[in-house]
Amino acid sequence: MTFRTLRTRLTVLYMGLFSLGLILSAIAVVTAVTSSARGMVRDEMASAGAVYSQLWDARSSQMREGAAAMARDPGLRAAIATEDAPAVRSALDDLRASGRVDGAMILGIDGQAVSAGLNPDAAAIDALLKGLGSGGLDGGVLTMEGQAFQVAAAPVAGAAGWVVFAERLDAAQMRNLERLSAIPLSAAVVLNPSQVSTGQPVTIETDKGESMQLAHALPSFDPGAKAALVLTYPLHRAMQPYETLFLWLTAIGAAGLALLMSGTWVLSRGLTRPITALDEAVHRVQQGEYVEAPVTSADEIGRLAGRFNAMVGDLKDREARLTHMALHDQETGLPNRLSLERQASGHADAWVILFGVDRFEVVRSAIGYDSMGRLLAVLGARLSALADGAPIARVGAGALGLVIIASSKAEALEAAEHLAAAAQEPISVNGAPVDIALTAGVAGHGAAGSDLTSSVDRAAIALDQARTARRTAAAFDEVAYGDPAGNLSLISELMTALADGEVSLAYQPKYDFRAGGVTGVEALMRWTHPRRGAVAPDLFIGMAEETGHIRPLTEWAIRRAIEDQKTMAAAGHSLTVAVNISGRLLSDESFADFAVNEVATSGATLCFEITETAVMGNPEMALRIVDRFADAGISVSLDDYGSGLSSLTYLKRIRADELKIDKSFILGLDDSARDGLLVKSTIDLAHGLGLKVTAEGVETPTALALLQGMGCDMAQGYLIGRPVPIAALLERLAVPARETKAATR
């Protein structure tokens, strides 16, 4: 059994202690009373034993004197001498009556006996003769007629015999003895008392419980049948006078226990009530409620409740501070991202607009971190005022956000453009105006089950998409965003895909205007995923560059291209194979060693295509590696020329053999004279520098004819041929070139 409350435990404790005290007291009282009763009974039995012994002796002496007086009677002697039995018996009757005994007997030494009131058997006479004949016994216990008798004898003067008096030791005689005791003893004459200890009173077990017993040895005429007077007193009789005392003690103890239980319950209730209230307050604080415990006294419990209340107050203040810190930016004091998330989650039509400060790092470096914090605070206040007091939160280093309610994406995007334009006024910092420009990203909640449900995250991505598109504001475009989470596992699977044969090379033909046919191919990497199907090259190659896996991927491509070039040569086609080299590898000397060694060992005719911007990261190292490629007989082609900020300085320094015009110019040749002029001038510039020119993205016969007229060296595009595996390429090369026909029309 468990006691869950302090009140119950206190009550049980006090009741237990009191009960233990009562039990110990009761044990002490009962022990003392029992010991006293035993001592009293023992003393009384000892006294009764002494009295009974004196009575036995006195009665024996009285009976001997009566027998002696009878033995001196002349009439009895005359009757004995004449052997007048009737006269003897008559005399015995008179003597028995006068002596007040149960029987009298004249016993001769020859064993002849004349008795009155007795019927002795031979065994009794024989035992009597032996005892009297020995001369050492003139009284004792004799068994006759199956009953014990107290016997006393005196010799008959002038005759050979004894006068014997006998008195029954029956129940009536024992009751007479019992009446003489101060306590209600039980007396009995026991024959052959082998199990009775004579001398001192002893305690024995009987059918009725414990009894005190005292055995007094009696003289016996039969040495083989000893006798004893046994006095017995049941001890429960000695305890009877105390039963009332015990009942009163029990009643008093029960009443005291009940009174103690009631008093303890009331006392413990008074003690535990403030503790219970304190416990309830602690429980409610644990659940997040800040409540105070009642202070009902000035003792320790009252002081504890007061300190608890003070602690609750401190916790409340501390939580308020922590909550404010958790929901606000420490630098500007504006609400933070978490606060903005909570605002956005409160309404189904809520849209988050995230404003990014353009050139944030530049401005912060110019005015300092503290000033930038003040500038953002001022900008936040301005945006809040323009948005009708909507709370402004700082989401990132240079990003502020707010929540508006709009019925559609278009309405939210219009509001974002308006706010971004209206807030772009100079802000005075340290007395000087600072120009700012804002770009906005707009997003609502993601659909259920979407990988990106946070409207703040979606707005941040929309902000990046707006900057990429160079727009003032843009809404989140989920198609453009793609599946970054699913793409994270691609790189770890890419290396396995190389070994499993999932990655392959596709070859796109390059048409040579002067040769009138295909003289080269560009190797393009393809990955067919077992679950996702074809993976876009821009996706996995870009991620391989970011994660450092581009080198093993490029090394595999070079080896594969060399093997496939041998296959082409065996089929009768001597083609130059172009392989794209990442700009990250142009600063890796060990990769250059690998590439030069592979080409030199195999004797392959390769062309490495690099972008112009790949040289800008570490120009000295990149130009040195390009020189090594050129020295090793590897052609170098400048890919995607014109797509970026082309620099004539790098174009002059790079030892390239070919320049590839970006397809964005070629696709507009049919319609744009401006694009035609740019392409023509680029071809002339490249020829002036000693470079061949390849035009990418040729898809129409008109574009092909124009390029041929401009003096372009080679053409590449869907009109010439799409990227295909090597087997399909060999089949394509076996068919008359359709691009030749298009060019000659």
Side-chain angles (χ1 to χ4, degrees):
M1 178 180 179
T2 57
F3 303 104
R4 297 183 179 274
T5 63
L6 178 61
R7 184 186 308 173
T8 305
R9 288 199 296 269
L10 286 174
T11 303
V12 171
L13 175 63
Y14 286 129
M15 286 181 62
L17 292 175
F18 184 74
S19 299
L20 180 62
L22 284 179
I23 292 172
L24 293 177
S25 300
I27 291 174
V29 170
V30 171
T31 302
V33 170
T34 302
S35 177
S36 175
R38 288 176 183 270
M40 182 192 70
V41 171
R42 187 178 294 107
D43 294 342
E44 289 294 336
M45 290 190 73
S47 299
V51 171
Y52 290 166
S53 179
Q54 292 177 3
L55 289 176
W56 177 275
D57 293 341
R59 183 58 177 166
S60 296
S61 177
Q62 183 181 5
M63 290 174 64
R64 280 195 300 272
E65 290 177 359
M70 182 177 178
R72 292 193 297 270
D73 183 85
L76 179 61
R77 287 201 303 269
I80 293 173
T82 60
E83 298 181 357
D84 186 356
V88 172
R89 188 171 290 109
S90 176
L92 288 175
D93 287 334
D94 293 339
L95 290 173
R96 182 171 65 86
S98 61
R100 296 180 181 178
V101 295
D102 294 328
M105 180 174 56
I106 300 298
L107 178 62
I109 60 175
D110 56 358
Q112 296 297 318
V114 178
S115 62
L118 296 175
N119 189 17
D121 53 11
I125 292 174
D126 184 60
L128 189 58
L129 284 173
K130 289 180 180 179
L132 294 175
S134 62
L137 187 64
D138 58 358
V141 177
L142 178 64
T143 302
M144 292 182 294
E145 303 172 358
Q147 186 177 358
F149 286 81
Q150 181 179 3
V151 175
V156 179
W162 294 270
V163 175
V164 179
F165 279 2
E167 191 172 84
R168 288 184 179 84
L169 296 174
D170 54 8
Q173 184 68 21
M174 293 300 103
R175 283 195 294 272
N176 291 332
L177 292 176
E178 292 169 0
R179 293 190 187 98
L180 299 175
S181 173
I183 58 176
L185 298 172
S186 296
V189 173
V190 178
L191 303 175
N192 297 321
S194 57
Q195 301 301 323
V196 179
S197 176
T198 59
Q200 296 296 325
V202 296
T203 302
I204 63 172
E205 286 290 338
T206 64
D207 296 340
K208 297 181 180 180
E210 283 189 330
S211 296
M212 189 75 72
Q213 187 179 78
L214 175 64
H216 182 69
L218 299 176
S220 177
F221 283 96
D222 187 357
K226 295 182 179 180
L229 176 62
V230 177
L231 304 178
T232 304
Y233 182 74
L235 288 177
H236 72 274
R237 291 185 179 178
M239 301 301 295
Q240 286 178 350
Y242 302 100
E243 289 180 355
T244 303
L245 173 63
F246 291 155
L247 289 175
W248 276 106
L249 288 177
T250 303
I252 292 173
L257 187 62
L259 183 62
L260 177 68
M261 181 176 67
S262 301
T264 303
W265 181 261
V266 173
L267 177 63
S268 61
R269 182 181 180 184
L271 289 174
T272 58
R273 182 179 297 169
I275 298 177
T276 302
L278 184 60
D279 176 69
E280 177 65 23
V282 170
H283 180 67
R284 293 178 64 183
V285 169
Q286 189 178 21
Q287 292 180 334
E289 300 181 44
Y290 288 106
V291 297
E292 293 186 353
V295 180
T296 57
S297 63
D299 56 9
E300 291 84 351
I301 297 177
R303 291 194 296 272
L304 177 62
R307 290 168 184 167
F308 172 80
N309 294 337
M311 181 190 69
V312 169
D314 293 341
L315 286 176
K316 188 175 180 180
D317 295 340
R318 189 176 304 170
E319 183 181 13
R321 292 195 300 271
L322 290 175
T323 302
H324 184 272
M325 292 174 62
L327 296 176
H328 289 78
D329 177 61
Q330 301 304 304
E331 185 178 2
T332 62
L334 296 173
N336 60 11
R337 178 193 180 95
L338 179 58
S339 178
L340 187 64
E341 290 275 12
R342 291 185 176 182
Q343 295 177 41
S345 62
H347 200 286
D349 294 330
W351 292 81
V352 172
I353 302 177
L354 215 59
F355 298 95
V357 178
D358 297 340
R359 301 182 301 113
F360 174 78
E361 290 79 7
V362 176
V363 176
R364 185 175 61 184
S365 299
I367 66 176
Y369 280 79
D370 292 341
S371 297
M372 193 67 197
R374 293 194 296 273
L375 184 147
L376 290 174
V378 173
L379 178 60
R382 178 183 295 176
L383 287 169
S384 178
L386 292 172
D388 298 329
I392 302 296
R394 185 180 185 182
V395 178
L400 301 177
L402 58 83
V403 176
I404 66 170
I405 304 300
S407 59
S408 64
K409 181 192 297 185
E411 182 181 347
L413 187 59
E414 182 181 356
E417 292 174 345
H418 170 72
L419 290 173
Q424 294 183 139
E425 293 183 3
I427 295 177
S428 177
V429 178
N430 298 329
V434 177
D435 292 328
I436 58 170
L438 299 179
T439 301
V442 179
H445 295 289
S450 172
D451 294 333
L452 190 65
T453 58
S454 170
S455 55
V456 177
D457 290 339
R458 294 162 70 91
I461 296 170
L463 175 60
D464 293 336
Q465 292 173 342
R467 283 172 169 168
T468 301
R470 300 188 179 185
R471 297 171 54 187
T472 302
F476 175 71
D477 187 347
E478 194 158 3
V479 175
Y481 177 65
D483 183 19
N487 295 335
L488 289 176
S489 62
L490 284 177
I491 292 303
S492 62
E493 298 177 13
L494 180 58
M495 297 299 102
T496 305
L498 286 175
D500 293 345
E502 298 173 11
V503 180
S504 62
L505 290 180
Y507 295 94
Q508 186 172 27
K510 297 171 68 175
Y511 177 75
D512 191 328
F513 285 105
R514 290 178 176 80
V518 175
T519 59
V521 291
E522 180 181 359
L524 301 172
M525 191 166 291
R526 297 292 183 264
W527 179 11
T528 303
H529 195 277
R531 296 187 309 275
R532 302 179 58 168
V535 182
D538 292 344
L539 176 61
F540 71 85
I541 291 176
M543 295 183 69
E545 288 182 327
E546 294 175 1
T547 58
H549 290 80
I550 191 62
R551 176 170 175 175
L553 198 62
T554 305
E555 290 178 352
W556 177 88
I558 292 174
R559 292 192 184 100
R560 183 75 264 168
I562 292 173
E563 294 298 322
D564 288 346
Q565 189 180 54
K566 293 178 181 178
T567 302
M568 298 174 197
H573 305 288
S574 179
L575 303 176
T576 301
V577 179
V579 179
N580 289 280
I581 304 298
S582 171
R584 295 180 182 271
L585 298 178
L586 293 182
S587 59
D588 190 343
E589 289 281 4
S590 62
F591 171 76
D593 295 338
F594 161 80
V596 170
N597 181 67
E598 288 292 324
V599 172
T601 302
S602 63
T605 304
L606 296 184
C607 175
F608 286 170
E609 293 189 4
I610 62 175
T611 59
E612 182 185 6
T613 56
V615 183
M616 297 180 181
N618 189 351
E620 298 302 325
M621 175 69 76
L623 292 173
R624 185 165 61 250
I625 289 177
V626 169
D627 290 342
R628 289 190 60 187
F629 292 156
D631 294 338
I634 302 173
S635 300
V636 176
S637 175
L638 292 179
D639 196 11
D640 298 334
Y641 184 80
S643 61
L645 299 176
S646 300
S647 171
L648 295 178
T649 301
Y650 286 117
L651 185 62
K652 181 182 69 173
R653 295 181 60 186
I654 297 175
R655 289 179 59 184
D657 300 285
E658 180 185 67
L659 186 146
K660 297 185 73 174
I661 301 176
D662 188 71
K663 63 181 180 180
S664 61
F665 295 96
I666 306 303
L667 293 174
L669 280 179
D670 293 2
D671 304 318
S672 174
R674 188 181 186 87
D675 285 346
L677 181 61
L678 289 173
V679 170
K680 175 62 171 133
S681 62
T682 302
I683 293 173
D684 293 341
L685 174 65
H687 286 166
L689 295 174
L691 303 176
K692 292 182 179 181
V693 178
T694 297
E696 294 184 297
V698 179
E699 297 184 357
T700 65
T702 302
L704 184 65
L706 289 173
L707 289 170
Q708 186 176 19
M710 293 177 185
C712 185
D713 300 290
M714 304 186 75
Q716 181 180 350
Y718 286 171
L719 178 65
I720 310 301
R722 292 177 178 270
V724 292
I726 184 170
L729 175 67
L730 295 177
E731 293 179 2
R732 161 73 177 78
L733 294 175
V735 178
R738 60 174 179 264
E739 67 277 357
T740 303
K741 299 177 182 179
T744 56
R745 289 177 182 173

